[in-house]
Amino acid sequence: MYKMRQSIFNIIKTRFDLSIDQAHEDSITSSLKKSVDFVGANLWTLIFAIFIASIGLNVNSTAVIIGAMLISPLMGPIMGVGLGLGIYDVDLVKKGLRNLLVATFIGIVTSTLYFIITPLHTAQSELLARTTPSIWDVFIAFFGGLAGMVGASRKEKGNVIPGVAIATALMPPLCTAGFGLATGNLAYFFGAIYLYSINSVFICYGTIIIVRFLKFERRHFTDKIYENKISRYIYIILIITILPSIYLGYRIVDKSIFENNAQKFVNSNFHLKKTQVVNQKNIYGGDTNKIELLLIGAEMPQSTIDSIVAKMPAHGLKHTLLDVKQGLDAKQEIDFAQIKASILEDVFKKDSSNRFNTVHEGLGDNLPDIGGELKALFPAMKSYTATRTIMHSLDSLQHKDSMTMVVIDTKRFLTLTEREKLNAWLKTRLQADSIRLIVEQE
């Protein structure tokens, strides 16, 4: 039994052994120390990346933002600080912090200038996502720091560090901070700077843990008290950074639970024949929340509303107010143009759905993917599309036939024999009574 446990332990140990493919310690530290400096190419790359990320946030393009994060060199000084703290290299820590502050300052100034110049000043969803950090951002940054240092310690670096740069998103918060300054919105500025701080601190902490786990050689202080003071400062910074994020994370979860409960409550209690909810507004306030409803149709008696309010605690809405506007109160709030548009949209969707179901009734399941077979049998094929549809007769509105239409794009002209062969094969393969084959040649 002991041998079996030992064997299992050895298998697990070998499977998770970080010493496999680990680069030499001197090579790792040398590489990280080089990435700390922000001069020359690194500085220009940062400026260009800031402009790219700012444009991406401005036009709400996720792809552009990801591209900016890939070319950003911000990971260098952060991991350099983590390495310095892990091996007690005070000079490296000072150098890393100095370069990180320079990079941060230049990033904020560059993005602020861009957002002052740009004619677009609307806060898009990608930008707003960087203004309210939470505990999940802590986890992302921490595990990102762990992964980043593991990747940096390998002989073959791979794509770990660029992936960490994307996941932890160091660049967008800096640009969002610039947007906050350019538009005078300090809430955006401080929210973005806090997210940037979370990412920096916990990437750094993840780096420290892996450096200690890999047992890098530490510098020993002659003054043990000074060494303990540095360790204490690290933990104080971590606690100061994480506490606000826990509170913000709690509020996000609490708000999500409230909105979900509010929607279920309204759906189950205001599904009435003669009265309709035309607008619902959930207002989250933490201790006291509020649901505002706008009703049209027959007015609900106050007694009915009171009985519905009594059910709110059962739906997890104990400290929630219900504000129902109907009758004269509703008329003051109703945007009739919006309601008309909403009704027309619902009618259009229902009509389209009915026509779609009527037309496709009896046409069967989706057709199989025959691309690979087509390419093997007919190498000249470039692309194809196949669909079951209805052919309507213009002579008689009542007459319609189901058919399978196949459109094929080829590299060369198909002979009559080849067309007949292809048509027969399609009929058999697609189990179709009739095939309408259209061949297009480039």
Side-chain angles (χ1 to χ4, degrees):
M1 191 67 178
Y2 171 77
K3 288 183 178 180
M4 182 181 292
R5 284 201 303 268
Q6 193 65 30
S7 176
I8 293 171
F9 175 76
N10 290 334
I11 290 171
I12 294 173
K13 184 180 178 181
T14 303
R15 182 69 64 180
F16 291 93
D17 189 2
L18 281 178
S19 65
I20 299 172
D21 192 40
Q22 180 182 336
H24 192 273
E25 183 179 327
D26 292 340
S27 172
I28 299 169
T29 54
S30 175
S31 175
L32 287 177
K33 285 178 180 179
K34 285 179 183 177
S35 67
V36 168
D37 288 321
F38 258 89
V39 293
N42 266 0
L43 194 56
W44 282 108
T45 303
L46 172 68
I47 293 171
F48 298 148
I50 286 287
F51 274 117
I52 294 170
S54 297
I55 293 169
L57 289 169
N58 207 195
V59 300
N60 213 39
S61 173
T62 305
V64 173
I65 297 168
I66 290 173
M69 290 187 285
L70 278 171
I71 63 178
S72 165
L74 277 171
M75 285 287 292
I78 296 173
M79 293 184 69
V81 172
L83 173 65
L85 290 170
I87 62 176
Y88 292 125
D89 186 340
V90 177
D91 292 335
L92 180 57
V93 172
K94 290 179 179 177
K95 184 179 180 182
L97 286 174
R98 185 167 58 250
N99 281 280
L100 182 59
L101 288 173
V102 169
T104 302
F105 176 76
I106 290 174
I108 292 175
V109 170
T110 304
S111 59
T112 302
L113 288 174
Y114 169 80
F115 283 110
I116 289 173
I117 296 168
T118 180
L120 305 175
H121 294 101
T122 303
Q124 305 282 4
S125 60
E126 285 287 350
L127 192 145
L128 292 172
R130 272 81 189 187
T131 60
T132 52
S134 68
I135 189 65
W136 288 279
D137 295 295
V138 170
F139 293 142
I140 292 168
F142 174 63
F143 290 115
L146 295 175
M149 189 56 206
V150 168
S153 66
R154 302 302 93 190
K155 293 177 182 176
E156 297 292 334
K157 305 302 181 187
N159 60 354
V160 175
I161 293 180
V164 172
I166 294 173
T168 53
L170 288 164
M171 187 69 63
L174 274 186
C175 300
T176 303
F179 176 85
L181 287 179
T183 58
N185 192 323
L186 293 182
Y188 285 2
F189 173 78
F190 287 114
I193 286 296
Y194 179 47
L195 175 57
Y196 178 73
S197 302
I198 285 176
N199 291 338
S200 300
V201 168
F202 282 90
I203 288 172
C204 180
Y205 187 56
T207 303
I208 294 171
I209 288 178
I210 296 298
V211 166
R212 300 273 175 90
F213 183 80
L214 294 176
K215 297 179 180 177
F216 279 28
E217 185 179 355
R218 300 187 197 180
R219 292 190 177 186
H220 297 284
F221 295 100
T222 53
D223 188 353
K224 195 71 177 175
I225 296 174
Y226 184 63
E227 183 176 335
N228 292 334
K229 186 184 289 185
I230 290 176
S231 298
R232 191 160 57 248
Y233 284 156
I234 292 172
Y235 290 117
I236 290 171
I237 291 170
L238 287 173
I239 292 169
I240 291 173
T241 306
I242 198 173
L243 284 178
S245 69
I246 293 174
Y247 172 71
L248 291 171
Y250 164 77
R251 283 182 65 87
I252 289 172
V253 173
D254 194 44
K255 181 181 179 182
S256 178
I257 292 172
F258 159 66
E259 289 178 344
N260 187 49
N261 289 343
Q263 193 60 55
K264 288 181 178 178
F265 166 74
V266 172
N267 290 343
S268 60
N269 290 282
F270 287 88
H271 190 67
L272 308 167
K273 290 182 179 180
K274 297 182 180 180
T275 307
Q276 184 178 355
V277 177
V278 293
N279 188 45
Q280 175 182 346
K281 187 176 181 181
N282 302 320
I283 302 172
Y284 176 76
D287 296 331
T288 304
N289 305 318
K290 188 176 182 181
I291 302 172
E292 291 184 355
L293 297 179
L294 191 60
L295 309 182
I296 60 171
E299 286 192 37
M300 296 177 64
Q302 188 59 43
S303 58
T304 304
I305 295 175
D306 291 340
S307 65
I308 292 175
V309 169
K311 299 177 184 177
M312 293 180 76
H315 287 81
L317 301 169
K318 189 174 181 181
H319 302 290
T320 303
L321 300 175
L322 180 64
D323 183 10
V324 178
K325 290 184 173 64
Q326 57 180 342
L328 291 174
D329 290 337
K331 287 180 182 179
Q332 296 174 359
E333 300 284 339
I334 289 175
D335 181 350
F336 286 101
Q338 183 180 0
I339 293 173
K340 183 179 178 182
S342 177
I343 292 171
L344 287 174
E345 184 180 359
D346 289 342
V347 170
F348 176 76
K349 285 181 179 178
K350 289 177 182 178
D351 182 57
S352 298
S353 177
N354 290 337
R355 283 190 284 109
F356 180 84
N357 291 334
T358 302
V359 168
H360 289 76
E361 186 178 359
L363 293 184
D365 298 328
N366 291 331
L367 295 171
D369 183 1
I370 57 173
E373 298 166 71
L374 267 177
K375 190 67 178 173
L377 294 171
F378 304 94
M381 303 299 170
K382 282 180 59 183
S383 61
Y384 88 98
T385 181
T387 183
R388 289 195 174 105
T389 186
I390 294 290
M391 178 67 75
H392 295 273
S393 172
L394 298 180
D395 296 329
S396 173
L397 295 177
Q398 301 299 321
H399 183 67
K400 54 186 179 181
D401 293 317
S402 63
M403 60 174 290
T404 302
M405 180 179 288
V406 181
V407 181
I408 291 176
D409 189 14
T410 68
K411 298 177 182 177
R412 62 172 179 80
F413 177 77
L414 294 185
T415 65
L416 181 60
T417 304
E418 287 176 321
R419 285 175 180 255
E420 290 175 349
K421 178 182 175 184
L422 176 57
N423 194 77
W425 182 82
L426 287 169
K427 225 176 197 183
T428 304
R429 181 66 180 84
L430 300 178
Q431 299 179 353
D433 295 330
S434 63
I435 292 283
R436 174 64 61 89
L437 178 60
I438 300 173
V439 179
E440 298 180 348
Q441 180 189 351
E442 59 171 24

